[in-house]
Amino acid sequence: MGELAAEKHVRYILSIEKKKDSFESVVMEHLRMNGAYWGLTALDLLGKLDTLDVDEVVSWIMSCQHESGGFGGNVGHDPHILYTLSAVQVLALFNKLDVIDVDKVTNYIVSLQNEDGSFSGDIWGEVDTRFSYIAICCLSILHRLDRINVEKAVKYIISCKNMDGGFGCTPGGESHAGQIFCCVGALALTGSLDLVDKDLLGWWLCERQVKSGGLNGRPEKLPDVCYSWWVLSSLIMIDRVHWISKEKLIKFILDCQDTENGGISDRPDDAVDVFHTYFGVAGLSLLEYPGLKPIDPAYALPVDVVNRIFFSK
Amino acid sequence: MHGRPRKSLKQEDEAALSAKAEKLRSLQSQFLVNHHNHIYSKEALDLSAKLLEINPECYTAWNYRKLAVQYNLSNSESNSDSDSAASIFDQELKLVENALRKNFKSYGAWHHRKWVLSKGHSSIDNELRLLNGFQKADPRNFHAWNYRRFVTAVMKRSDEDELKYTEDVIGDNFSNYSAWHNRSVLLSDLFKRKAEGFFPKEKVLREEYEHVHNAIFTDPDDQSGWFYHLWLIDQTVKNDTPLLVSSWPSHGSNITLNENNYLHDCGLSLLNSTLSDTRTLPVILYFNQAVEGINSSTVAVKSEVLQEDLVWKPLSTNNSSTAQIWVAYLNLNNTELQLSKTYSIEITIGHSMGIVSSNGYHYGDPSQITFKLCVQTAFKEPVEGQCAKLTSWKDNDFQKIDNFEESHSTVSADHRIPTTSNWCMEEIDEEITNFRDLLSDCKIGKLTLARLLTALDLLSPQHDKRKYHTEEVLKLYTDLMKLDPTHSLYYKDEHSLVLLQQITSSGESLLPHCHYYKNATETNTSYICLRLQNLSLSRMGSIQNLLWVQMLDLSHNELRSIEGLEAMQLLSCINLSHNKFGSFTALGPLRLLKSLKVLNISYNELGSHSIDTRRYLCSSPLAHTEVFAWDRFEILCGSFSATKFWEAFLIFESLNLMDLNITGNAVADENFTSFIVKVLPTLKWLNGEELS
C-alpha cells in the first residue's frame, strides 16, 4: 500500500487557483465558495493553512455576501444557504468569525425556516434536508441555534426517515449516504441522536463498503472517495464505525491518489478534483491516518477549530 | 469530476476544451451583467438558456429565469393574455428538459420544473410520460423518483397505481433498490390508513415475502432486496404499543433494607451494600421503547411508606423528555420504619391515558408491580466513613454461589413478553424454513436466519425456553465473522447481544456468573457481584434483566461503550478494566448513576484516539444538550489548556467516586492525575493507592 502524498496534495490544492481558465474551473465558478471550503479545510488537515494570505481570502468571502445576509457561491452570484455555510466554515478555519455581522447572517438563515420545520435553500423555496443540516450547523457555529425552532426542525428530519434507517431529501425520498450525513449531523448537533435507529442504519451504512474497500452511497452503486466522508462520518456519529474495515478503506483512498501531480479522484485512475481531494483527506483523518489533524464528524471542521468555538471563552 | 479518466489530453483536445471554456466564460459574464441589470429581453433570455444548456448547475441562472418569468408575466397580465402565460411557462419546461438531458442530476433544473408546475399554468399530464422516459434511462436516479412522488401527489394518482408501477420496474430488473424503497413508502402509507385490501396486513405481507424472495434467492449477493426483507420481518413482529419490559423492584420481590445503628444518621442501606447511604430507594421502570408522560397521574403508587407523590424522571443522556427508562426515588427519610415489619408497595402503570410513545402510540394494558419492603438490623463493625477498603477485583476475592437464597430475591430475571398472534409466529417459522432450505450457506442467508431465530425466541412464551435457538444463532454469527471479515465486528456485536440474552434469561443461567464479594461475606447478608468478565463481549446488552446489579465486573472484554447502562441505578461498583474504551465520552451513561462509588477503567484506550466516536452520543455543549460549567472548569484546570480535558471534566464532575483506577491509559499522565484529583474531591483511592 502506498502512502499519503501529502506534499503533492498541498501543491495540487494551491495550484487550482492558477488554473482558473480551465473548463472545469469555469463550470464550477458558481460554487467557488464550496471549493474554498474543500480546499482550505483539506490544507488545514494537512497542516498547511498558514501558507495562505488570510486577508485576501477573507475579503473575497465578504465580497460574496448580500444585503440579505446570505452568501453567494462567487462574486455576483445569488445568495444561497449552501454557500453561506461554506463562508462561515472558512471564516471559522481562520478564526475570523468576528468579521461578519452575526445577526445579519443569522437572520438570513432564520428567514429560510418553513412552517413544518424544514428549510429552504434560498428565497425560491427548494426544500431539502441538506438545508436543515446547513442551517443548524451554521447557527451552531455562530452560537445562535436558539433563533430557530429546533424541535420542529428535528421533527421534519425524522419525517424523512426510511425503512432502512436512513434519510432522504424530503419525506419519502430514498436514503442516500450524503443525505444521511446531513440528517445524522443535524440530529447530532441538536443532541437528538436517540431518534436514530443506530443498529439498523449502522448495518445499512457498513454494507456500503464494497470488495475494493471503497464505500458507495447507495446499494448496488459504485464506490466513490466522497463517501469516505459521508458514510464514515455518519458511522462515527452513531458509534458504528468499527463495523467496516478501516484498513481496506485507507487502501482504497490511497489508491485514488494521483501520486504524480497530487490530488485525489473518485475512483482509482480517474481525474482528480478538489472535492474528492478534500473528502479523501477528511476520510483519512476520520480513519486516524497518521500526520493529519483530526476532523469533527458533525461540524466538518478540524477538531481544534470546533474546540476553539466551544471551549474558549 | 465523476468517472472521468485521469489522463493528459492530446493537444488538439486541449485546444478544443480551452475554446469551450472561453465560450462558457463569456456566456457567464454576459449573463451576470444581464442579471444584475434586470434585463429580460429575448436576447438576454436566449443567452441564459444557452448557458443553462451547457451548465445546468449554474443556480443563479435558474433564479434569473424565475425573475424573468415573473417580469414577463406581470407585463403580459396587463394584456390579460393567458395563452402567453402558458407559453412563457412552456418555454421554461422545454429548457428544463434540455438541461436535464445534459445533466440528469441537476438539483436546480428539477426544482425549476417543480416551481413552474406549482404556478398552475401548465398541464401535469405530460410529466409522467417524460419521467417514464427518464426513469427508463436511469432507473435509480433519486431526483427523478422524488419528482415522481411530487407529480403523483399533484395528480392524486392512487398509491395502488404507484405500487403497480414499482412492481413493473422490479419485474424488469429486481436489482432496483429505489423501487423497493418506494414500495416500502407506499405500503407504510396504505397500512397506516388501513386502506381497503391492506388491513389487516397479514395477507399483503405474505405476498411481499414471496415477492422479495424472487430477488434474494435469485442473486443473494445483490443487496436490493436485503433491507426490504428486514423491513418485512420488522413489520411482522413489531409491537408499536409501549409496554413495560421490566422493573426494579420486580413484581413479587421482597426487598430487605439494613438499618445500620452504627451510623449517626441511622443510615439505611440496601442489601448490605456499605456503599449506599441515603434513605432513598430507586424505582426503575424499563419500557420496550422511549415513552413520555410518566407522572403521578399515569403511574399510581399505593403504600403506607409513601409520604408524597413520587417524582418520575426520564433517564436520558441528552435531557430528552422521552426515555425508555424512568426512575423515581422513594424517600424513606421521614418514615419511621419498624424492624421486621413488612410494608407492601403497589405500583399501577397506565391505568389512565397519558403514556405515549414517540410515534404517538398509547400505553397498552395497565400493568401492576407489587413488592414488599422490610427492615432488619445489620450487625456490622463501625466503618470509617465509606469505602474504607480499596475494592479489589482479584479472582480470589470472589466466591462462587451454589444457589440463590431467599435473600437474593432482588436478583431477578423477570421480563415480560407481550402476547403475539399466531400469524406472526407462523410467518417467521415459514421464513426460517425457507432460509434454512435455500440459503443457509451464504452471508445474507445466515444473517437473516440468525435474525429470524432471534425474533422467534423473543416471540416464544418464556416457558418454552428449552426450545430457544441461542446456540444455533451464536454459531451463525461465529460463521459470519469468518465468512465476511470486513464486517466481522458487526457480527461480533450481535454475538455479544445474543450471549448476554442467554446469560441473563433466567436465575439459573445467571447463577454461574454471580459471586460473593469477599469483603462483604463477613456480615449476615451477602453482597453479590455479577461477573461477566472474559467473555469477549464487544457490546453490552440485556440491561433490562440486570436492573438489580450493584457490583458489576465487565473487565477483560472488548467493550467500546456502555450504552444503556444508566438503567442500572443501583450500581455502586463497576470494573471496566482491560476493554477498548477510547474516550471519556464513552463513559457518559455513568453520569446518571447516582450511587456509583468505585470505577476501574484501567488498561483501556483513553487518550489513544484522535477521533471520538461517542462525541455526539454524550450530552455536551457541542450538541447543545449541556451548558458548560466554565467557572469551575477554569479553577480546576489552572494552567492546562482548556480544551484538553473538557470531556473528562464533563463526565467526572457530577460523580462522587471514592475509588478510581485509570492506570494503563495513554491519557493518564501526571497532569491528568492532578487534574482529576481536583475534579473528584470525594476520591480516596486513585490507581490503587490511598490519597493522602
Side-chain angles (χ1 to χ4, degrees):
Chain A
M1 174 166 49
E3 280 187 11
L4 181 69
E7 256 173 66
K8 291 211 163 119
H9 298 322
V10 170
R11 239 180 293 152
Y12 165 74
I13 294 166
L14 293 172
S15 75
I16 296 169
E17 273 302 290
K18 293 170 201 138
K19 292 188 230 155
K20 265 186 182 169
D21 291 326
S22 74
F23 185 68
E24 289 88 52
S25 323
V26 181
V27 166
M28 309 237 296
E29 195 194 77
H30 66 278
L31 48 76
R32 192 168 176 236
M33 189 66 81
N34 290 156
Y37 160 75
W38 296 322
L40 297 174
T41 309
L43 276 187
D44 197 6
L45 295 175
L46 291 160
K48 289 285 188 297
L49 195 61
D50 50 6
T51 52
L52 275 138
D53 182 346
V54 181
D55 295 336
E56 196 187 328
V57 179
V58 170
S59 81
W60 172 75
I61 289 176
M62 295 313 288
S63 68
C64 295
Q65 195 180 22
H66 288 252
E67 205 32 55
S68 61
F71 289 78
N74 204 336
V75 179
H77 281 271
D78 287 355
H80 195 286
I81 201 168
L82 277 166
Y83 312 109
T84 306
L85 175 62
S86 287
V88 167
Q89 283 173 319
V90 174
L91 291 173
L93 280 182
F94 288 114
N95 199 13
K96 286 282 181 189
L97 283 170
D98 54 347
V99 303
I100 49 169
D101 179 344
V102 170
D103 287 326
K104 198 167 160 182
V105 179
T106 302
N107 289 340
Y108 174 72
I109 294 167
V110 169
S111 75
L112 295 173
Q113 188 170 31
N114 302 307
E115 196 38 50
D116 62 359
S118 67
F119 281 83
S120 300
D122 62 12
I123 55 166
W124 298 107
E126 185 186 0
V127 169
D128 192 309
T129 44
R130 286 179 300 150
F131 309 146
S132 300
Y133 164 74
I134 289 173
I136 286 168
C137 184
C138 199
L139 291 181
S140 179
I141 292 172
L142 300 174
H143 301 288
R144 292 290 187 284
L145 199 57
D146 56 337
R147 289 284 313 279
I148 53 161
N149 189 328
V150 173
E151 202 185 322
K152 273 190 173 179
V154 167
K155 219 171 169 178
Y156 181 78
I157 292 167
I158 295 303
S159 76
C160 298
K161 187 152 86 172
N162 291 320
M163 57 124 176
D164 48 29
F167 297 84
C169 307
T170 47
E174 183 186 343
S175 300
H176 177 285
Q179 219 73 39
I180 290 170
F181 160 77
C182 290
C183 293
V184 171
L187 295 173
L189 297 180
T190 53
S192 317
L193 285 178
D194 57 317
L195 302 174
V196 175
D197 192 336
K198 295 189 270 296
D199 289 334
L200 181 60
L201 177 59
W203 182 54
W204 189 91
L205 285 168
C206 82
E207 285 294 347
R208 296 309 101 240
Q209 188 161 38
V210 301
K211 280 212 177 73
S212 65
L215 300 166
N216 62 18
R218 287 190 285 160
E220 300 305 316
K221 288 278 193 177
L222 291 173
D224 183 323
V225 158
C226 67
Y227 297 113
S228 312
W229 170 261
W230 308 119
V231 174
L232 207 53
S233 57
S234 304
L235 279 170
I236 287 172
M237 285 187 273
I238 62 171
D239 193 22
R240 298 292 184 275
V241 73
H242 55 289
W243 287 357
I244 62 165
S245 163
K246 290 187 174 187
E247 293 72 28
K248 283 187 180 174
L249 181 55
I250 290 175
K251 184 179 177 308
F252 177 79
I253 299 174
L254 293 177
D255 284 348
C256 291
Q257 298 180 102
D258 183 337
T259 45
E260 223 169 285
N261 304 308
I264 300 174
S265 54
D266 58 349
R267 281 183 282 283
D269 300 321
D270 277 356
V272 302
D273 60 62
V274 67
F275 175 82
H276 288 95
T277 305
Y278 160 68
F279 285 117
V281 171
L284 290 172
S285 162
L286 289 178
L287 292 162
E288 304 185 316
Y289 192 89
L292 293 173
K293 273 201 197 181
I295 188 165
D296 182 285
Y299 288 98
L301 286 170
V303 168
D304 63 340
V305 173
V306 174
N307 284 348
R308 187 168 67 208
I309 295 169
F310 292 96
F311 298 102
S312 55
K313 264 186 154 176
Chain B
M1 300 298 115
H2 282 103
R4 212 165 46 82
R6 181 188 303 165
K7 56 165 201 255
S8 33
L9 291 168
K10 288 189 206 128
Q11 211 158 17
E12 60 259 38
D13 291 343
E14 209 159 328
L17 205 58
S18 144
K20 239 172 105 184
E22 192 42 53
K23 188 183 161 201
L24 181 60
R25 175 174 294 286
S26 116
L27 273 177
Q28 284 185 171
S29 51
Q30 283 179 60
F31 152 71
L32 284 177
V33 170
N34 291 339
H35 180 37
H36 297 151
N37 294 303
H38 312 287
I39 297 168
Y40 305 114
S41 65
K42 182 157 185 319
E43 294 71 40
L45 274 169
D46 286 349
L47 187 123
S48 69
K50 220 189 254 170
L51 168 59
L52 283 167
E53 279 166 5
I54 301 175
N55 187 12
E57 292 281 34
C58 184
Y59 72 103
T60 306
W62 290 115
N63 296 348
Y64 166 81
R65 296 291 300 193
K66 296 186 189 72
L67 289 167
V69 167
Q70 287 177 347
Y71 173 84
N72 288 328
L73 275 183
S74 66
N75 281 359
S76 70
E77 258 165 38
S78 52
N79 307 333
S80 69
D81 185 352
S82 73
D83 278 356
S84 95
S87 88
I88 288 172
F89 283 113
D90 281 350
Q91 256 182 30
E92 298 306 307
L93 292 178
K94 191 73 210 143
L95 175 60
V96 170
E97 207 180 315
N98 292 340
L100 286 177
R101 289 193 201 288
K102 170 84 188 172
N103 180 0
F104 199 10
K105 295 176 175 174
S106 164
Y107 284 97
W110 285 107
H111 178 64
H112 195 65
R113 198 166 188 90
K114 262 172 120 172
W115 181 84
V116 169
L117 283 165
S118 68
K119 297 294 167 192
H121 289 280
S122 320
S123 157
I124 193 100
D125 301 333
N126 297 321
E127 296 308 292
L128 272 192
R129 211 174 319 131
L130 180 81
L131 262 175
N132 286 345
F134 275 134
Q135 290 193 284
K136 269 228 157 61
D138 180 3
R140 295 290 309 277
N141 184 293
F142 70 83
H143 300 275
W145 280 98
N146 284 348
Y147 188 65
R148 186 178 185 93
R149 276 181 290 270
F150 164 77
V151 170
T152 53
V154 174
M155 291 173 69
K156 299 204 168 54
R157 199 172 131 96
S158 73
D159 283 354
E160 287 86 344
D161 284 350
E162 278 301 283
L163 211 56
K164 179 75 182 55
Y165 174 76
T166 63
E167 225 163 281
D168 295 344
V169 173
I170 292 168
D172 285 347
N173 180 3
F174 67 80
S175 180
N176 186 334
Y177 189 82
S178 309
W180 288 108
H181 157 77
N182 210 38
R183 225 175 149 71
S184 79
V185 173
L186 294 162
L187 278 175
S188 298
D189 191 46
L190 288 161
F191 289 155
K192 201 169 172 187
R193 54 188 172 85
K194 301 186 175 170
E196 204 190 322
F198 293 86
F199 182 81
K201 57 185 178 184
E202 278 104 296
K203 198 176 141 279
V204 184
L205 286 178
R206 197 154 284 171
E207 286 168 9
E208 291 306 304
Y209 275 116
E210 287 292 314
H211 205 144
V212 77
H213 286 165
N214 290 334
I216 295 183
F217 295 152
T218 308
D219 181 1
D221 289 332
D222 188 294
Q223 297 188 353
S224 303
W226 291 8
F227 301 89
Y228 192 74
H229 188 267
L230 181 60
W231 178 70
L232 291 180
I233 300 178
D234 189 53
Q235 287 294 310
T236 309
V237 302
K238 184 173 71 175
N239 199 338
D240 289 322
T241 326
L243 289 165
L244 189 73
V245 180
S246 71
S247 67
W248 196 89
S250 57
H251 182 61
S253 60
N254 296 300
I255 307 295
T256 308
L257 297 173
N258 293 313
E259 182 122 23
N260 195 332
N261 294 322
Y262 291 107
L263 292 176
H264 296 303
D265 58 355
C266 241
L268 271 179
S269 61
L270 188 64
L271 294 172
N272 204 33
S273 151
T274 52
L275 303 164
S276 157
D277 62 337
T278 48
R279 290 172 64 101
T280 56
L281 194 66
V283 181
I284 311 163
L285 302 180
Y286 201 117
F287 296 92
N288 63 345
Q289 56 186 302
V291 293
E292 60 182 344
I294 304 293
N295 52 48
S296 54
S297 66
T298 52
V299 178
V301 185
K302 261 200 303 196
S303 173
E304 57 183 299
V305 296
L306 195 70
Q307 306 274 321
E308 60 213 13
D309 275 346
L310 291 185
V311 180
W312 292 97
K313 289 205 171 117
L315 266 190
S316 80
T317 40
N318 68 345
N319 303 325
S320 165
S321 63
T322 60
Q324 200 178 349
I325 307 140
W326 287 74
V327 67
Y329 276 84
L330 195 58
N331 187 348
L332 303 170
N333 267 316
N334 307 317
T335 318
E336 276 300 319
L337 295 178
Q338 288 171 26
L339 282 179
S340 318
K341 187 184 164 182
T342 304
Y343 300 91
S344 172
I345 294 164
E346 205 181 290
I347 302 177
T348 315
I349 299 136
H351 59 288
S352 72
M353 295 284 273
I355 304 177
V356 193
S357 76
S358 38
N359 290 331
Y361 290 94
H362 288 268
Y363 192 76
D365 295 330
S367 29
Q368 205 176 52
I369 305 162
T370 310
F371 62 93
K372 294 194 165 66
L373 202 63
C374 80
V375 179
Q376 65 177 30
T377 310
F379 301 99
K380 232 185 328 182
E381 294 300 315
V383 281
E384 288 289 321
Q386 295 191 330
C387 232
K389 283 184 184 169
L390 176 71
T391 306
S392 125
W393 295 91
K394 294 199 184 97
D395 277 343
N396 50 13
D397 286 328
F398 292 100
Q399 187 187 325
K400 266 202 158 324
I401 299 176
D402 300 329
N403 50 345
F404 288 123
E405 294 159 24
E406 207 177 315
S407 62
H408 298 142
S409 70
T410 42
V411 178
S412 78
D414 138 78
H415 51 276
R416 295 143 192 259
I417 291 161
T419 47
T420 40
S421 62
N422 282 334
W423 160 76
C424 174
M425 300 268 281
E426 281 165 20
E427 198 58 64
I428 296 296
D429 250 336
E430 203 179 313
E431 281 303 287
I432 289 172
T433 314
N434 275 323
F435 274 81
R436 268 212 182 111
D437 292 351
L438 294 168
L439 223 56
S440 58
D441 51 1
C442 72
K443 163 181 156 175
I444 193 63
K446 282 182 192 290
L447 179 57
T448 308
L449 191 54
R451 286 171 172 163
L452 285 164
L453 291 169
T454 309
L456 186 71
D457 286 356
L458 284 173
L459 294 170
S460 308
Q462 212 170 5
H463 57 260
D464 275 355
K465 213 170 277 166
R466 272 166 236 288
K467 294 186 196 154
Y468 277 10
H469 302 86
T470 322
E471 291 304 333
E472 187 181 353
V473 175
L474 289 174
K475 173 146 189 335
L476 283 166
Y477 282 122
T478 311
D479 291 352
L480 280 163
M481 284 183 231
K482 288 184 210 121
L483 195 64
D484 179 18
T486 300
H487 302 111
S488 65
L489 290 182
Y490 169 67
Y491 307 120
K492 194 174 178 66
D493 280 359
E494 293 295 315
H495 187 277
S496 300
L497 292 180
V498 176
L499 187 64
L500 283 165
Q501 178 69 35
Q502 184 185 42
I503 290 172
T504 65
S505 63
S506 69
E508 208 182 359
S509 56
L510 268 170
L511 188 65
H513 299 277
C514 292
H515 292 72
Y516 289 125
Y517 182 58
K518 202 176 165 186
N519 286 5
T521 52
E522 303 145 12
T523 49
N524 62 332
T525 46
S526 307
Y527 195 14
I528 295 178
C529 176
L530 179 66
R531 303 195 74 198
L532 299 173
Q533 88 287 18
N534 245 322
L535 293 171
S536 304
L537 296 175
S538 60
R539 185 169 174 181
M540 195 51 199
S542 292
I543 290 171
Q544 72 274 14
N545 301 337
L546 301 175
L547 302 180
W548 53 273
V549 178
Q550 297 179 77
M551 187 173 186
L552 179 62
D553 186 355
L554 286 170
S555 64
H556 298 274
N557 282 300
E558 290 156 45
L559 296 170
R560 299 155 193 277
S561 76
I562 38 170
E563 206 164 326
L565 207 83
E566 65 274 12
M568 295 165 73
Q569 286 288 304
L570 299 169
L571 202 65
S572 60
C573 306
I574 187 166
N575 186 355
L576 299 173
S577 66
H578 296 277
N579 275 289
K580 288 178 184 276
F581 289 90
S583 64
F584 287 109
T585 49
L587 304 176
L590 300 183
R591 302 172 72 198
L592 295 165
L593 300 178
K594 297 296 168 219
S595 316
L596 193 69
K597 297 284 186 283
V598 178
L599 169 63
N600 187 343
I601 184 74
S602 61
Y603 300 98
N604 273 281
E605 297 170 9
L606 300 178
S608 307
H609 291 279
S610 57
I611 298 294
D612 177 3
T613 59
R614 302 295 302 181
R615 194 164 160 97
Y616 288 97
L617 294 167
C618 173
S619 166
S620 93
L622 293 175
H624 304 274
T625 34
E626 185 137 332
V627 180
F628 200 64
W630 273 109
D631 299 342
R632 211 171 113 69
F633 184 62
E634 277 183 340
I635 294 167
L636 296 174
C637 246
S639 58
F640 309 134
S641 146
T643 54
K644 205 172 164 198
F645 296 139
W646 71 267
E647 293 104 330
F649 175 71
L650 203 68
I651 300 302
F652 289 114
E653 189 226 10
S654 58
L655 294 179
N656 296 308
L657 293 183
M658 296 189 157
D659 177 353
L660 171 69
N661 195 332
I662 197 160
T663 40
N665 287 285
V667 74
D669 61 7
E670 247 171 69
N671 276 348
F672 183 78
T673 313
S674 67
F675 171 71
I676 208 69
V677 170
K678 284 192 259 176
V679 177
L680 286 165
T682 47
L683 213 57
K684 292 207 158 163
W685 300 89
L686 181 64
N687 300 340
E689 288 177 25
E690 192 160 13
L691 292 168
S692 48

